[in-house]
Amino acid sequence: YHSLALKADGTVVAWGAGSETNVPPNLTKVVAIAAGTHFSLALLSDGTVSAWGQNAFGRTNVPTGLSNVVGIACGAFHVLALKADGTVTAWGLGSSGQTNVPADLTNAIMVAGGFSHSLALRADGTVTSWGTTNYGLSDPRPDLQNIVAVSAGSDFSLALRADGTVAAW
């Protein structure tokens, strides 16, 4: 278990236990961070991703050539990278389909990862989810309109509507 902090100078501080707290030396120009189960991620200002910690399921193996990344999220054992063109790249454990990004997913503006499910917020305010079907986590949700932010927990998802109300499932 670990925590991360992004400092104003673009460096990362980590604390807790395990290799996920061993921030790579010379890691600078970080603009976003994310923490998964025993691994950590950093989005760099040049649109690339750095990952460290336990590499079970290949979660710290950033895909070769991955670039133009504007957002990152960790699930428990998987990673989501949002690219500037609105597409999503995923890697790591995909046993529940959480890394099987829907082929028709376009115009994504935010991603979130849960234990075994993934979410993407689209520019039109709708949400796409995939992965486990437990608890209805990846079921279509026609009531998710005018969404401005998404988040995922272990076995739940949250969506913030433009009017300030929250949808939870």
Side-chain angles (χ1 to χ4, degrees):
Y1 299 97
H2 70 292
S3 297
L4 300 172
L6 177 57
K7 295 173 62 177
D9 67 359
T11 61
V12 176
V13 176
W15 62 96
S19 61
E20 61 273 20
T21 63
N22 297 330
V23 178
N26 304 317
L27 182 66
T28 60
K29 300 182 182 178
V30 176
V31 296
I33 52 176
T37 302
H38 304 295
F39 74 106
S40 302
L41 288 179
L43 173 59
L44 307 181
S45 63
D46 66 359
T48 61
V49 175
S50 179
W52 64 95
Q54 292 181 9
N55 193 32
F57 315 111
R59 59 193 171 193
T60 62
N61 293 342
V62 177
T64 302
L66 181 65
S67 62
N68 298 316
V69 176
V70 296
I72 54 174
C74 293
F77 303 103
H78 71 288
V79 179
L80 302 167
L82 172 63
K83 297 182 69 175
D85 66 1
T87 61
V88 175
T89 299
W91 67 94
L93 180 64
S95 61
S96 295
Q98 64 269 43
T99 59
N100 298 336
V101 179
D104 64 346
L105 178 59
T106 58
N107 299 316
I109 59 170
M110 179 181 275
V111 290
F115 186 83
S116 57
H117 72 291
S118 300
L119 303 173
L121 172 60
R122 293 181 188 227
D124 67 359
T126 61
V127 177
T128 298
S129 57
W130 64 98
T132 186
T133 56
N134 295 345
Y135 313 109
L137 292 171
S138 61
D139 293 345
R141 294 285 309 257
D143 62 318
L144 295 179
Q145 303 292 322
N146 299 313
I147 303 301
V148 296
V150 292
S151 185
S154 181
D155 292 320
F156 66 93
S157 297
L158 299 171
L160 176 64
R161 292 186 183 96
D163 67 4
T165 61
V166 175
W169 69 103

Short mmCIF file of all heavy atoms in Angstrom, two decimals, residues 83-131:
data_model
loop_
_atom_site.label_atom_id
_atom_site.label_comp_id
_atom_site.label_asym_id
_atom_site.label_seq_id
_atom_site.Cartn_x
_atom_site.Cartn_y
_atom_site.Cartn_z
N LYS A 83 -5.48 9.16 -24.86
CA LYS A 83 -4.65 9.87 -25.84
C LYS A 83 -5.34 11.15 -26.31
O LYS A 83 -6.56 11.29 -26.20
CB LYS A 83 -4.34 8.94 -27.01
CG LYS A 83 -3.51 7.72 -26.56
CD LYS A 83 -3.16 6.82 -27.69
CE LYS A 83 -2.17 7.54 -28.57
NZ LYS A 83 -1.65 6.71 -29.65
N ALA A 84 -4.57 12.07 -26.83
CA ALA A 84 -5.08 13.37 -27.27
C ALA A 84 -6.15 13.24 -28.34
O ALA A 84 -7.01 14.12 -28.47
CB ALA A 84 -3.93 14.25 -27.76
N ASP A 85 -6.12 12.16 -29.11
CA ASP A 85 -7.13 11.97 -30.16
C ASP A 85 -8.43 11.38 -29.65
O ASP A 85 -9.33 11.06 -30.42
CB ASP A 85 -6.56 11.12 -31.31
CG ASP A 85 -6.24 9.69 -30.91
OD1 ASP A 85 -6.47 9.30 -29.73
OD2 ASP A 85 -5.75 8.93 -31.77
N GLY A 86 -8.57 11.21 -28.32
CA GLY A 86 -9.81 10.70 -27.73
C GLY A 86 -9.89 9.19 -27.69
O GLY A 86 -10.94 8.64 -27.34
N THR A 87 -8.81 8.50 -28.02
CA THR A 87 -8.81 7.04 -27.92
C THR A 87 -8.17 6.63 -26.59
O THR A 87 -7.51 7.43 -25.93
CB THR A 87 -8.05 6.39 -29.09
OG1 THR A 87 -6.68 6.82 -29.07
CG2 THR A 87 -8.70 6.75 -30.42
N VAL A 88 -8.35 5.37 -26.23
CA VAL A 88 -7.84 4.85 -24.97
C VAL A 88 -7.01 3.60 -25.25
O VAL A 88 -7.40 2.74 -26.03
CB VAL A 88 -9.00 4.51 -24.01
CG1 VAL A 88 -8.48 3.85 -22.73
CG2 VAL A 88 -9.82 5.76 -23.68
N THR A 89 -5.86 3.52 -24.60
CA THR A 89 -5.01 2.33 -24.63
C THR A 89 -5.03 1.72 -23.23
O THR A 89 -4.95 2.46 -22.25
CB THR A 89 -3.56 2.70 -25.03
OG1 THR A 89 -3.58 3.27 -26.33
CG2 THR A 89 -2.66 1.49 -25.02
N ALA A 90 -5.13 0.40 -23.16
CA ALA A 90 -5.17 -0.28 -21.86
C ALA A 90 -4.21 -1.46 -21.87
O ALA A 90 -3.99 -2.09 -22.90
CB ALA A 90 -6.58 -0.76 -21.56
N TRP A 91 -3.63 -1.75 -20.70
CA TRP A 91 -2.77 -2.92 -20.56
C TRP A 91 -2.78 -3.39 -19.12
O TRP A 91 -3.30 -2.72 -18.24
CB TRP A 91 -1.36 -2.63 -21.06
CG TRP A 91 -0.56 -1.64 -20.27
CD1 TRP A 91 0.33 -1.93 -19.27
CD2 TRP A 91 -0.53 -0.22 -20.41
NE1 TRP A 91 0.89 -0.78 -18.78
CE2 TRP A 91 0.38 0.28 -19.46
CE3 TRP A 91 -1.20 0.68 -21.24
CZ2 TRP A 91 0.64 1.64 -19.32
CZ3 TRP A 91 -0.95 2.03 -21.09
CH2 TRP A 91 -0.03 2.50 -20.16
N GLY A 92 -2.21 -4.57 -18.89
CA GLY A 92 -2.19 -5.17 -17.57
C GLY A 92 -3.16 -6.33 -17.54
O GLY A 92 -3.49 -6.92 -18.57
N LEU A 93 -3.66 -6.68 -16.35
CA LEU A 93 -4.58 -7.79 -16.19
C LEU A 93 -5.90 -7.47 -16.87
O LEU A 93 -6.52 -6.44 -16.58
CB LEU A 93 -4.82 -8.08 -14.69
CG LEU A 93 -5.77 -9.22 -14.38
CD1 LEU A 93 -5.22 -10.55 -14.89
CD2 LEU A 93 -6.04 -9.29 -12.89
N GLY A 94 -6.33 -8.36 -17.74
CA GLY A 94 -7.59 -8.16 -18.45
C GLY A 94 -8.54 -9.33 -18.32
O GLY A 94 -9.40 -9.53 -19.16
N SER A 95 -8.42 -10.09 -17.24
CA SER A 95 -9.20 -11.32 -17.08
C SER A 95 -10.71 -11.09 -17.05
O SER A 95 -11.48 -12.01 -17.33
CB SER A 95 -8.76 -12.07 -15.83
OG SER A 95 -8.95 -11.27 -14.68
N SER A 96 -11.15 -9.90 -16.73
CA SER A 96 -12.58 -9.58 -16.74
C SER A 96 -12.96 -8.67 -17.90
O SER A 96 -14.04 -8.11 -17.92
CB SER A 96 -12.97 -8.92 -15.41
OG SER A 96 -12.81 -9.81 -14.33
N GLY A 97 -12.04 -8.48 -18.82
CA GLY A 97 -12.30 -7.62 -19.97
C GLY A 97 -11.99 -6.15 -19.74
O GLY A 97 -12.25 -5.31 -20.59
N GLN A 98 -11.40 -5.82 -18.58
CA GLN A 98 -11.14 -4.42 -18.25
C GLN A 98 -10.10 -3.77 -19.15
O GLN A 98 -10.01 -2.54 -19.18
CB GLN A 98 -10.78 -4.26 -16.78
CG GLN A 98 -9.49 -4.93 -16.35
CD GLN A 98 -9.67 -6.35 -15.85
OE1 GLN A 98 -10.40 -7.14 -16.42
NE2 GLN A 98 -8.99 -6.69 -14.78
N THR A 99 -9.33 -4.54 -19.89
CA THR A 99 -8.37 -3.96 -20.83
C THR A 99 -8.85 -4.06 -22.28
O THR A 99 -8.14 -3.64 -23.19
CB THR A 99 -6.98 -4.64 -20.71
OG1 THR A 99 -7.12 -6.03 -20.96
CG2 THR A 99 -6.38 -4.40 -19.33
N ASN A 100 -10.05 -4.60 -22.48
CA ASN A 100 -10.61 -4.73 -23.83
C ASN A 100 -11.40 -3.46 -24.16
O ASN A 100 -12.62 -3.42 -24.07
CB ASN A 100 -11.53 -5.95 -23.93
CG ASN A 100 -10.79 -7.24 -23.69
OD1 ASN A 100 -9.58 -7.32 -23.86
ND2 ASN A 100 -11.51 -8.26 -23.27
N VAL A 101 -10.68 -2.44 -24.55
CA VAL A 101 -11.32 -1.15 -24.87
C VAL A 101 -12.29 -1.34 -26.02
O VAL A 101 -11.93 -1.93 -27.05
CB VAL A 101 -10.25 -0.10 -25.25
CG1 VAL A 101 -10.90 1.23 -25.59
CG2 VAL A 101 -9.23 0.06 -24.13
N PRO A 102 -13.54 -0.90 -25.86
CA PRO A 102 -14.51 -1.06 -26.94
C PRO A 102 -14.02 -0.43 -28.24
O PRO A 102 -13.49 0.70 -28.23
CB PRO A 102 -15.76 -0.33 -26.41
CG PRO A 102 -15.61 -0.37 -24.92
CD PRO A 102 -14.13 -0.27 -24.67
N ALA A 103 -14.19 -1.15 -29.33
CA ALA A 103 -13.70 -0.69 -30.64
C ALA A 103 -14.33 0.63 -31.06
O ALA A 103 -13.72 1.41 -31.78
CB ALA A 103 -13.95 -1.77 -31.69
N ASP A 104 -15.55 0.88 -30.60
CA ASP A 104 -16.24 2.11 -31.01
C ASP A 104 -16.03 3.28 -30.04
O ASP A 104 -16.67 4.32 -30.18
CB ASP A 104 -17.73 1.84 -31.18
CG ASP A 104 -18.43 1.43 -29.89
OD1 ASP A 104 -17.74 1.09 -28.89
OD2 ASP A 104 -19.68 1.45 -29.86
N LEU A 105 -15.12 3.12 -29.09
CA LEU A 105 -14.87 4.21 -28.14
C LEU A 105 -14.05 5.31 -28.81
O LEU A 105 -12.91 5.10 -29.19
CB LEU A 105 -14.14 3.70 -26.90
CG LEU A 105 -13.80 4.78 -25.86
CD1 LEU A 105 -15.04 5.50 -25.35
CD2 LEU A 105 -13.03 4.17 -24.71
N THR A 106 -14.66 6.48 -28.95
CA THR A 106 -14.00 7.65 -29.52
C THR A 106 -14.37 8.86 -28.67
O THR A 106 -15.29 8.81 -27.85
CB THR A 106 -14.45 7.91 -30.97
OG1 THR A 106 -15.88 8.09 -30.98
CG2 THR A 106 -14.07 6.76 -31.89
N ASN A 107 -13.67 9.93 -28.86
CA ASN A 107 -13.97 11.20 -28.19
C ASN A 107 -13.96 11.11 -26.67
O ASN A 107 -14.70 11.83 -26.00
CB ASN A 107 -15.31 11.77 -28.69
CG ASN A 107 -15.27 12.05 -30.16
OD1 ASN A 107 -14.30 12.59 -30.67
ND2 ASN A 107 -16.32 11.65 -30.87
N ALA A 108 -13.11 10.26 -26.13
CA ALA A 108 -12.98 10.17 -24.68
C ALA A 108 -12.22 11.39 -24.17
O ALA A 108 -11.29 11.88 -24.82
CB ALA A 108 -12.27 8.89 -24.28
N ILE A 109 -12.63 11.87 -22.99
CA ILE A 109 -11.96 13.02 -22.38
C ILE A 109 -11.47 12.73 -20.95
O ILE A 109 -10.77 13.55 -20.36
CB ILE A 109 -12.85 14.28 -22.39
CG1 ILE A 109 -14.15 14.04 -21.64
CG2 ILE A 109 -13.11 14.73 -23.83
CD1 ILE A 109 -14.98 15.29 -21.40
N MET A 110 -11.85 11.56 -20.40
CA MET A 110 -11.44 11.18 -19.05
C MET A 110 -11.57 9.67 -18.93
O MET A 110 -12.47 9.08 -19.53
CB MET A 110 -12.32 11.87 -18.01
CG MET A 110 -11.98 11.53 -16.57
SD MET A 110 -13.09 12.35 -15.38
CE MET A 110 -12.25 13.93 -15.25
N VAL A 111 -10.67 9.06 -18.16
CA VAL A 111 -10.74 7.62 -17.90
C VAL A 111 -10.66 7.35 -16.40
O VAL A 111 -10.12 8.17 -15.65
CB VAL A 111 -9.63 6.84 -18.64
CG1 VAL A 111 -9.88 6.83 -20.13
CG2 VAL A 111 -8.24 7.40 -18.32
N ALA A 112 -11.18 6.19 -15.99
CA ALA A 112 -11.11 5.76 -14.60
C ALA A 112 -11.06 4.25 -14.57
O ALA A 112 -11.66 3.59 -15.42
CB ALA A 112 -12.31 6.27 -13.80
N GLY A 113 -10.32 3.70 -13.61
CA GLY A 113 -10.21 2.26 -13.49
C GLY A 113 -10.62 1.77 -12.12
O GLY A 113 -10.20 2.34 -11.10
N GLY A 114 -11.43 0.72 -12.09
CA GLY A 114 -11.81 0.07 -10.84
C GLY A 114 -11.04 -1.22 -10.69
O GLY A 114 -10.03 -1.44 -11.37
N PHE A 115 -11.50 -2.09 -9.83
CA PHE A 115 -10.78 -3.35 -9.62
C PHE A 115 -10.73 -4.16 -10.91
O PHE A 115 -9.66 -4.57 -11.33
CB PHE A 115 -11.44 -4.17 -8.50
CG PHE A 115 -10.64 -5.39 -8.15
CD1 PHE A 115 -9.58 -5.30 -7.27
CD2 PHE A 115 -10.95 -6.63 -8.70
CE1 PHE A 115 -8.82 -6.42 -6.95
CE2 PHE A 115 -10.20 -7.75 -8.39
CZ PHE A 115 -9.13 -7.64 -7.51
N SER A 116 -11.87 -4.38 -11.52
CA SER A 116 -11.89 -5.17 -12.76
C SER A 116 -12.84 -4.57 -13.79
O SER A 116 -13.44 -5.28 -14.59
CB SER A 116 -12.26 -6.63 -12.46
OG SER A 116 -13.51 -6.70 -11.80
N HIS A 117 -12.96 -3.26 -13.77
CA HIS A 117 -13.75 -2.55 -14.78
C HIS A 117 -13.09 -1.22 -15.11
O HIS A 117 -12.22 -0.76 -14.39
CB HIS A 117 -15.20 -2.36 -14.33
CG HIS A 117 -15.40 -1.36 -13.24
ND1 HIS A 117 -14.97 -1.55 -11.93
CD2 HIS A 117 -15.99 -0.14 -13.25
CE1 HIS A 117 -15.30 -0.50 -11.20
NE2 HIS A 117 -15.91 0.38 -11.98
N SER A 118 -13.49 -0.67 -16.24
CA SER A 118 -12.93 0.60 -16.72
C SER A 118 -14.06 1.50 -17.18
O SER A 118 -15.11 1.04 -17.63
CB SER A 118 -11.97 0.33 -17.89
OG SER A 118 -10.92 -0.50 -17.49
N LEU A 119 -13.80 2.81 -17.11
CA LEU A 119 -14.77 3.82 -17.54
C LEU A 119 -14.09 4.84 -18.44
O LEU A 119 -12.92 5.15 -18.24
CB LEU A 119 -15.32 4.59 -16.34
CG LEU A 119 -16.01 3.85 -15.22
CD1 LEU A 119 -16.31 4.82 -14.08
CD2 LEU A 119 -17.29 3.22 -15.72
N ALA A 120 -14.86 5.37 -19.37
CA ALA A 120 -14.41 6.50 -20.17
C ALA A 120 -15.55 7.50 -20.28
O ALA A 120 -16.69 7.11 -20.57
CB ALA A 120 -13.96 6.06 -21.55
N LEU A 121 -15.26 8.76 -20.02
CA LEU A 121 -16.21 9.84 -20.23
C LEU A 121 -15.96 10.38 -21.62
O LEU A 121 -14.82 10.67 -21.98
CB LEU A 121 -16.00 10.94 -19.18
CG LEU A 121 -16.78 12.24 -19.37
CD1 LEU A 121 -18.28 11.99 -19.34
CD2 LEU A 121 -16.36 13.25 -18.31
N ARG A 122 -17.03 10.49 -22.40
CA ARG A 122 -16.92 11.03 -23.76
C ARG A 122 -17.24 12.53 -23.76
O ARG A 122 -17.91 13.04 -22.87
CB ARG A 122 -17.88 10.31 -24.70
CG ARG A 122 -17.54 8.86 -24.93
CD ARG A 122 -18.55 8.25 -25.89
NE ARG A 122 -18.38 6.82 -26.01
CZ ARG A 122 -18.35 6.19 -27.17
NH1 ARG A 122 -18.48 6.85 -28.30
NH2 ARG A 122 -18.20 4.89 -27.20
N ALA A 123 -16.76 13.21 -24.79
CA ALA A 123 -16.96 14.65 -24.91
C ALA A 123 -18.43 15.05 -24.93
O ALA A 123 -18.77 16.17 -24.53
CB ALA A 123 -16.25 15.17 -26.15
N ASP A 124 -19.31 14.14 -25.34
CA ASP A 124 -20.74 14.46 -25.38
C ASP A 124 -21.43 14.26 -24.03
O ASP A 124 -22.65 14.39 -23.93
CB ASP A 124 -21.45 13.65 -26.47
CG ASP A 124 -21.49 12.15 -26.19
OD1 ASP A 124 -20.96 11.69 -25.15
OD2 ASP A 124 -22.05 11.42 -27.03
N GLY A 125 -20.65 13.96 -22.98
CA GLY A 125 -21.22 13.82 -21.65
C GLY A 125 -21.78 12.45 -21.33
O GLY A 125 -22.46 12.27 -20.32
N THR A 126 -21.51 11.46 -22.18
CA THR A 126 -21.95 10.09 -21.92
C THR A 126 -20.77 9.27 -21.39
O THR A 126 -19.61 9.67 -21.53
CB THR A 126 -22.53 9.42 -23.18
OG1 THR A 126 -21.52 9.36 -24.19
CG2 THR A 126 -23.74 10.20 -23.70
N VAL A 127 -21.09 8.12 -20.82
CA VAL A 127 -20.08 7.26 -20.22
C VAL A 127 -20.10 5.89 -20.89
O VAL A 127 -21.17 5.33 -21.12
CB VAL A 127 -20.34 7.09 -18.70
CG1 VAL A 127 -19.34 6.12 -18.07
CG2 VAL A 127 -20.28 8.45 -18.00
N THR A 128 -18.92 5.38 -21.17
CA THR A 128 -18.76 4.02 -21.67
C THR A 128 -18.04 3.23 -20.58
O THR A 128 -17.06 3.72 -20.00
CB THR A 128 -17.93 4.00 -22.97
OG1 THR A 128 -18.63 4.73 -23.96
CG2 THR A 128 -17.69 2.59 -23.46
N SER A 129 -18.53 2.02 -20.31
CA SER A 129 -17.88 1.19 -19.31
C SER A 129 -17.68 -0.21 -19.87
O SER A 129 -18.42 -0.66 -20.73
CB SER A 129 -18.72 1.13 -18.03
OG SER A 129 -20.02 0.65 -18.30
N TRP A 130 -16.62 -0.87 -19.40
CA TRP A 130 -16.34 -2.22 -19.86
C TRP A 130 -15.59 -2.98 -18.76
O TRP A 130 -15.06 -2.38 -17.83
CB TRP A 130 -15.58 -2.21 -21.17
CG TRP A 130 -14.21 -1.59 -21.13
CD1 TRP A 130 -13.02 -2.24 -21.01
CD2 TRP A 130 -13.88 -0.19 -21.24
NE1 TRP A 130 -11.98 -1.35 -21.03
CE2 TRP A 130 -12.47 -0.08 -21.16
CE3 TRP A 130 -14.63 0.97 -21.38
CZ2 TRP A 130 -11.81 1.14 -21.23
CZ3 TRP A 130 -13.96 2.18 -21.43
CH2 TRP A 130 -12.58 2.26 -21.37
N GLY A 131 -15.60 -4.29 -18.89
CA GLY A 131 -14.96 -5.13 -17.89
C GLY A 131 -15.99 -6.00 -17.21
O GLY A 131 -16.96 -6.43 -17.83
#
